[in-house]
Amino acid sequence: MLYVSDLYKSYKTGKTEYPVLKGVGFHVAQGEFVAVMGPSGSGKSTLLNCISCYIPYEKGSITLGGIRLTEQKENALARIRNEKLGFVFQDFMLLDGLSIRENILVPRIIQGKTGKDAEQLADQLIALFGIEHIKNKYPAEVSGGERQRTAVARSLINRPLMLLADEPTGNLDSRSSRTVIKAFESARDQMSATIFMVTHDSFAASFSDRAILLKDGTIFRELEKKGSRAEFHDRLLESIKEMSGDE
């Protein structure tokens, strides 16, 4: 599904160059839920922006669903962002003047594809994420967790190849965070959604199938879930502690 190979990215300030990604490489399979963790400055947000085609990179390759992104022109990249990728942001990015159901349909409205299929899928997503009771309400009238579940539903309305989530639980309390992560699990299990989530939250990451730990622009370690979620969480915490240099 997603192949990232030998990826390098740096930023320049004046004449000074700051390397951010230093030869990062990994693979995400169809239907896999992968979390990326790392301290501030580790390169996780830059990695997400490279995959989403928002920023260029100096070296390496990214292939999504058999499409080599490195070789695509801007118009093609824009289509990939609109049609092949779904996005979930920390601050929800919902439109206040539209109802919850209308917000879910926004990507289809933009494409002019609001037929019966879109309407049926929106209703299926609303049911899947347990937000039937708020579908006619507006974002300001619902909780943060409900807004984020709406954002997850919206990200899936185009049936994307991959869902990219940037700190999706960052603005939520622990209870709301759990409902949002459960929404990701439902998307994976019932829609075969492929999810790539950047997070600082080890609890959220413990629900993933695999975690990639970034440190100073390189992969420090990859951890695959084996056993229970609680056991995986403990392994994550141990690896994070080791990565930070604490004994």
Side-chain angles (χ1 to χ4, degrees):
M1 168 57 67
L2 175 70
Y3 293 88
V4 176
S5 178
D6 199 30
L7 196 67
Y8 285 82
K9 172 63 182 176
S10 60
Y11 294 103
K12 285 186 177 181
T13 302
K15 294 183 179 180
T16 306
E17 186 172 283
Y18 298 95
V20 180
L21 299 177
K22 310 168 187 176
V24 171
F26 58 88
H27 166 237
V28 178
Q30 169 69 45
E32 190 177 18
F33 181 6
V34 174
V36 177
M37 297 191 69
S40 178
S42 62
K44 56 187 186 296
S45 293
T46 296
L47 175 61
L48 192 72
N49 285 327
C50 288
I51 294 170
S52 61
C53 314
Y54 281 118
I55 62 173
Y57 42 92
E58 289 89 46
K59 182 182 175 183
S61 66
I62 300 174
T63 303
L64 176 67
I67 303 170
R68 191 176 170 89
L69 302 185
T70 317
E71 300 171 352
Q72 305 303 309
K73 295 183 178 180
E74 185 53 43
N75 287 343
L77 291 176
R79 279 198 305 274
I80 290 168
R81 282 193 294 269
N82 292 333
E83 299 174 9
K84 306 295 184 184
L85 294 172
F87 297 92
V88 180
F89 303 98
Q90 181 174 339
D91 54 358
F92 318 128
M93 302 290 284
L94 300 179
L95 299 176
D96 293 335
L98 299 180
S99 70
I100 293 299
R101 189 173 186 273
E102 290 167 340
N103 265 283
I104 292 170
L105 284 164
V106 161
R108 289 293 190 101
I109 293 171
I110 291 172
Q111 293 182 4
K113 298 178 180 179
T114 54
K116 187 176 180 181
D117 174 68
E119 299 277 348
Q120 289 178 341
L121 181 55
D123 290 334
Q124 289 171 11
L125 291 167
I126 287 169
L128 177 62
F129 299 138
I131 50 177
E132 298 101 325
H133 61 294
I134 61 164
K135 66 180 182 180
N136 294 319
K137 292 186 176 182
Y138 292 87
E141 300 175 315
V142 305
S143 70
E146 289 168 335
R147 276 178 276 173
Q148 194 61 296
R149 276 182 280 164
T150 300
V152 175
R154 180 188 58 193
S155 73
L156 293 166
I157 194 67
N158 279 335
R159 299 186 184 274
L161 289 175
M162 175 171 283
L163 192 160
L164 300 177
D166 187 6
E167 299 283 6
T169 62
N171 285 335
L172 303 176
D173 59 33
S174 59
R175 182 178 178 181
S176 296
S177 295
R178 193 180 187 106
T179 63
V180 170
I181 295 302
K182 286 293 186 182
F184 285 134
E185 286 189 312
S186 297
R188 177 198 61 195
D189 296 341
Q190 299 188 42
M191 298 183 68
S192 297
T194 305
I195 302 162
F196 189 80
M197 176 180 71
V198 165
T199 182
H200 69 281
D201 184 357
S202 61
F203 177 77
S206 70
F207 286 85
S208 68
D209 302 312
R210 181 161 51 98
I212 298 172
L213 304 184
L214 283 182
K215 180 181 181 180
D216 298 330
T218 63
I219 293 178
F220 175 79
R221 182 170 296 159
E222 291 192 44
L223 296 173
E224 186 176 348
K225 182 186 289 181
K226 295 178 181 178
S228 69
R229 186 209 61 79
E231 290 170 335
F232 188 40
H233 190 208
D234 288 342
R235 291 172 57 215
L236 277 170
L237 291 175
E238 290 171 4
S239 293
I240 291 167
K241 187 175 181 180
E242 183 181 344
M243 183 169 63
S244 67
D246 296 332
E247 294 299 332

